[in-house]
Amino acid sequence: GAVVSQHPSWVICKSGTSVKIECRSLDFQATTMFWYRQFPKQSLMLMATSNEGSKATYEQGVEKDKFLINHASLTLSTLTVTSAHPEDSSFYICSASSQGANGYTFGSGTRLTVV
Amino acid sequence: QKEVEQDPGPLSVPEGAIVSLNCTYSNSAFQYFMWYRQYSRKGPELLMYTYSSGNKEDGRFTAQVDKSSKYISLFIRDSQPSDSATYLCAMTGHTGTASKLTFGTGTRLQVTL
């Protein structure tokens, strides 16, 4: 089946620094990838839709200058959390589909802790 | 009102019990319905996918969709401790690879020995 690889699985960074999270589709090409944020015991909140070769589409309330998304190839999307603050600490997950609504595959997630 | 409502639980059942998980939704445009299982600190994995109304069975799992009531269910038979996880319902109105999924809040399930 389709595999989405996400790295790192966890990261600790200092306030004010930037952190990059990578999401790769290993065995299929993904023109669209999605980035989610998940707080403890809560559901996935869609942050943005990453489009290969064009600008990402951000959901209402998500700061595009803080959460930079780059989708430079059909197999790689990156999310950079810039000038991270403790309130950015969360679980970030990406997903992509190889075959429509029944084919969404999620990465294993990245736990970000900002200290 | 949220587009998708799901009881967060936690739901605790003994091993071997039949588990019933449910979601209600308000958007009549939703046609594709999914159930995901998420273990702690992991990404969700797809369990069941159903298009429109009806039932679908896969091993110990059965998914039901009642579009007239805007109600979907996931049944787990002979529940096992390894089924302990959070179960998320998700749905969308389109089937393309750029279709956004709308998720429920997830139900935490604990299967005890």
Side-chain angles (χ1 to χ4, degrees), chain B:
Chain B
Q1 183 188 6
K2 293 180 181 177
E3 276 193 296
V4 179
E5 299 277 0
Q6 183 177 8
D7 187 336
L11 177 63
S12 182
V13 301
E15 182 180 9
I18 296 174
V19 177
S20 173
L21 304 166
N22 312 292
C23 288
T24 59
Y25 63 96
S26 57
N27 190 342
S28 57
F30 290 144
Q31 295 194 70
Y32 302 88
F33 305 92
M34 288 136 278
W35 285 95
Y36 287 86
R37 178 175 62 196
Q38 185 178 23
Y39 291 110
S40 181
R41 303 189 179 190
K42 297 291 184 183
E45 56 178 320
L46 180 66
L47 278 179
M48 299 288 286
Y49 164 81
T50 310
Y51 168 66
S52 195
S53 288
N55 295 354
K56 186 173 184 178
E57 187 174 321
D58 184 0
R60 296 185 296 112
F61 300 92
T62 299
Q64 287 186 350
V65 174
D66 181 348
K67 289 190 68 180
S68 63
S69 301
K70 296 188 177 67
Y71 186 89
I72 68 171
S73 301
L74 177 71
F75 297 95
I76 307 174
R77 291 183 298 280
D78 188 24
S79 56
Q80 304 294 310
S82 58
D83 294 328
S84 298
T86 296
Y87 290 81
L88 298 147
C89 64
M91 48 199 78
T92 181
H94 308 281
T95 188
T97 57
S99 303
K100 297 180 186 179
L101 298 182
T102 301
F103 284 88
T105 53
T107 300
R108 277 199 302 134
L109 171 67
Q110 182 71 40
V111 181
T112 58
L113 291 170

Side-chain angles (χ1 to χ4, degrees), chain A residues 86-99:
Chain A
E87 56 265 32
D88 298 324
S89 299
S90 191
F91 194 56
Y92 294 88
I93 312 174
C94 66
S95 80
S97 175
S98 61
Q99 55 184 302

